Amino acid sequence: MLSRAANAIYWMNRYLERADNVARFINVNLHLMLDLSVETASQWMPLVVTTGGEKYFREHYGDNAATQENVLQFLIYDKNNPNSIASCVRSARENARSVRQSISSEMWETVNKMHLSFRQASADQTHQDAPYDFLEEIKNSGHLFIGLTESTMSNNEAWHWARLGRLLERADQTSRIVDVKYYFVLPTIEYVGMPYDNLHWAALLKSATAFEMYRKRYRRIAPKSVAEFLLLDREFPRSIHYCLVHAEHSLHAITGSPLGTFQNPVEQRLGRLRSDFDFARIEEIIDFGLHEYLDNFQSRLIQVGETIYDDFFAVEPPSQSPTQSQSQSLLPATGEAASQGVSPP
Amino acid sequence: MNYDDYQTEGFYDEMFIADGPSAKPRPGARMLVERIESLLNGDLARRQQAAEIALYNMGITFSVYGSEDAEEKIFPFDIIPRIVELKEWQPIEQGLAQRINALNLFLDDIYHDQKIIGDGVVPRDIIESCPAFRRECIGIDPPLGIWCHITGTDLVRDGEGRFFVLEDNLRCPSGVSYVIENRQILKRTFPHVFLASNVRPVDDYCIHLLNALQQLAPHTESPNVVLLTPGPFNSAYYEHAFLAQQMGIELVEGSDLFTQDDCVYMRTTKGPLRVDVIYRRIDDDFIDPLAFRRDSVLGVPGLMSAFRNGRVALANAPGTGVADDKAIYAYVPDIIRYYLGEDPILPNVKTYLCRRDSEREYVLQNLHELVVKPVSESGGYGILVGPHSTKAEREACAERIRANPRNYIAQPTLSLSRAPIIVGDHFEGRHVDLRPFILHGPDPYILPGGLTRVALKKGSLVVNSSQGGGSKDTWVLETEPDKNVSFVDEPVLPPVEHD
């Protein structure tokens, strides 16, 4: 398919997945804050860090400004924050607009309605105190969009680009939330007994909509098991391992080369990354250092993204001077977000 | 809401016949009027609102420029359809087919032997001074000899209800997507009346369009047809995406295409892919920086050369704008007689060419009752409507005409027909025109009806969307209206019925 269209579909899905994750982080944190009621201010900063906007936030809101009000403004409405829900929805819609012919009308209308109701919500300040309904709406629209992708779109190349974008983004988001929560919740992995400890772990799982499935699998909440579930589970659709396996399926469906082989740098990089997760054990990861492991994972995932761009989207004929395309301009926002990944403790 | 107080005010009304102090519905509109009058108070307004929300959610909007987060607006749409009876439509259909056929022959002639000039029917200078005449096209043989594949011809009705051709649009006419979307909404708004009225369908337009485009690449079994758009910031982008989606073809921007050895390719995730036919929605000036405007970033370098060498088909072909030049317009009746040996079925509006001394003098003396148009503008820009103008405007216009007479034509101010629209809690008459769409080729096709554009401002004669116009659905009735069917006793329907 058209490179520009593939690029736009890929990014449209990344942005929608990102908006969904940000909405979920906020929702869970709002509930958690109600339970904790003390030392609350410090508990909003992890969200800023998770979404990769720490530097921008400190510059524009101040060093000790991580109040609920500021962080909600920053994560929901701030149009200059490339990872705010506002920016993600807008970018998703711009991308959707440029590939109207490749996606179904129902998918387009869902993204368009999201954009329109978001605009209305930002104009109408009533949401800002208790944005639960509004965040719920963002999440539901995201789910509706994925459902429509499944039920109205052929499983063709465009569909695989959509899934590839969604799963790579989801793997990235899951790794961020685990990394940050570990850092804030648990200074050392052996540390147990902190007040409200269970609440924190439950919140972490809920951020990834993983709480119920986790309970079915492990029942008892233990830090190591939580990390294992979110990183290595083969069945849970938001675990990093699951995302990588299915992203790789889509990649190979696009290229046509057999799984387990590679014919281009993307297949090599993604395949190698996935196989690391295939054979990893959580004890090894913790011995190595969970943060270091996730940091390394994120850099490799960014490389996969860059290679996708080089191999598929930046197709130039041999004798042609490079031309600027609209969708290329969408890259820096994400590139920036990626490079602002979680900094080491 | 009812039509009790509705006045035709001496105009030809599309829905009512003036009958003494009151007005009675035309035969084709009777069922609709009865239905509307049987609705509960507020029901019609709810239907109108539901239609607007549907358009909004579908993203059939344009942004008001100025700020980054400018509000998006839908193109105004009035849910009361305009009804055209079959006996009115048939001569229009024949007249349009005749006219486009002649204009296509005209284009082929002036880019080849120019016999029509040699025979003294159209003066050479009027063609050569036309900005849309492309010397680059001389000698080119487009596939199947077709230049104007897609045309949108603007028709108006005068006070007696006669149809006239107001202008021809042979470049990149837009609006057909509104016809199709308006119809979708109207089917939901008045399902029973629609069904009983036996309205000719418009939904298959895209099938005919794709067929017409595919025929342009006879050398291959499954040609790669694409739609070339200037991009999402163009005001007609919605339509470009809609048509590409309905036809199942790729929507491409200039940067998606490149040429090599006179062939056109698109950049795909699996490498370059040959393109056979381009339905281009970019003006001539911008399609190829090597041939036309060098500063164009929208086009594809080398496209004209590929076209000239028959490696790619372009629809419409470059250079068609010369045939819809408003000065050439005055010659179209002669063009029809010259190529076809027939009298025109659809008349032109009387047109004064300011390049002719005697006609210019007449125009300058009668500005207050004429409409003056610049010949090479479209979209309603630069028009002076004499009866609605101020003295200062007329003087400025006279100045412009004297400075560049070739650039202006004038026509009598027509008393355009009107149709009722919903204004608040009642109906008011507004002026309308009609833009049918014509596909020219081996299987010619004329979209039944077309886009009815309506001047929303009271008394205004300018219907262009860029000038505050809206649209209506247009129903061409397949059969004579049945006098025995009535909806007065039907149960009241919910505001919008979903199928």
Side-chain angles (χ1 to χ4, degrees), chain A residues 1 4 90 97 103 157, chain B residues 68 232 237 245 251 256 269:
Chain A
M1 68 184 293
R4 179 181 52 81
R90 185 155 82 189
R97 228 165 100 75
I103 60 176
E157 191 183 338
Chain B
E68 187 197 350
Y237 180 76
Q245 189 182 42
L251 178 65
D256 295 326
T269 51

Side-chain angles (χ1 to χ4, degrees), chain A residues 254-318:
Chain A
I254 290 164
T255 58
S257 43
L259 279 166
T261 68
F262 67 91
Q263 281 167 11
N264 60 46
V266 188
E267 288 173 345
Q268 188 197 11
R269 285 187 164 153
L270 185 57
R272 187 175 274 171
L273 189 56
R274 187 263 312 145
S275 67
D276 280 358
F277 276 77
D278 280 350
F279 302 106
R281 287 179 52 227
I282 194 65
E283 292 79 8
E284 289 169 1
I285 292 175
I286 288 171
D287 285 348
F288 178 80
L290 182 67
H291 171 73
E292 287 73 16
Y293 190 86
L294 291 173
D295 208 35
N296 176 266
F297 163 75
Q298 279 167 13
S299 330
R300 290 171 69 186
L301 198 64
I302 289 164
Q303 281 180 2
V304 169
E306 287 167 355
T307 321
I308 286 175
Y309 179 77
D310 295 339
D311 283 1
F312 295 102
F313 303 151
V315 185
E316 293 295 334

Side-chain angles (χ1 to χ4, degrees), chain A residues 129-165:
Chain A
D129 270 351
Y132 301 103
D133 292 350
F134 173 61
L135 294 170
E136 201 62 29
E137 194 184 317
I138 294 287
K139 277 160 49 184
N140 286 340
S141 304
H143 293 158
L144 176 59
F145 184 83
I146 294 172
L148 287 170
T149 308
E150 292 303 308
S151 60
T152 64
M153 203 173 170
S154 297
N155 289 188
N156 56 15
E157 191 183 338
W159 183 86
H160 284 291
W161 280 114
R163 193 166 77 144
L164 185 62

Side-chain angles (χ1 to χ4, degrees), chain A residues 64-81:
Chain A
N64 294 309
T67 59
Q68 175 168 327
E69 193 189 350
N70 276 348
V71 174
L72 289 185
Q73 171 65 27
F74 172 75
L75 290 178
I76 300 179
Y77 304 102
D78 192 338
K79 292 186 187 97
N80 297 316
N81 170 13

Side-chain angles (χ1 to χ4, degrees), chain B residues 152-173:
Chain B
T153 300
D154 292 342
L155 305 176
V156 293
R157 271 178 133 166
D158 69 358
E160 274 80 61
R162 288 173 302 191
F163 278 100
F164 291 85
V165 175
L166 187 63
E167 63 185 58
D168 303 284
N169 296 287
L170 285 83
R171 303 171 202 210
C172 303

Side-chain angles (χ1 to χ4, degrees), chain A residues 1 3-4 6 79 90 93 97-98 100-101 103 105 108-109 112-113 119 157 254 315-317 319, chain B residues 56-59 68-72 232 237 241 245 249-251 253 256 258 260 267-270:
Chain A
M1 68 184 293
S3 300
R4 179 181 52 81
K79 292 186 187 97
R90 185 155 82 189
R93 193 239 193 184
R97 228 165 100 75
S98 74
R100 283 283 316 276
Q101 85 287 4
I103 60 176
S105 300
W108 154 252
E109 279 188 37
N112 193 44
K113 276 190 209 163
R119 285 169 59 103
E157 191 183 338
I254 290 164
V315 185
E316 293 295 334
S319 59
Chain B
Y56 203 54
N57 286 340
M58 285 193 263
E68 187 197 350
D69 257 339
E71 195 187 341
E72 294 186 23
Y237 180 76
Q245 189 182 42
I249 64 174
E250 289 289 355
L251 178 65
E253 296 173 22
D256 295 326
F258 66 93
Q260 205 159 35
R267 300 167 213 270
T268 78
T269 51
K270 297 192 168 66

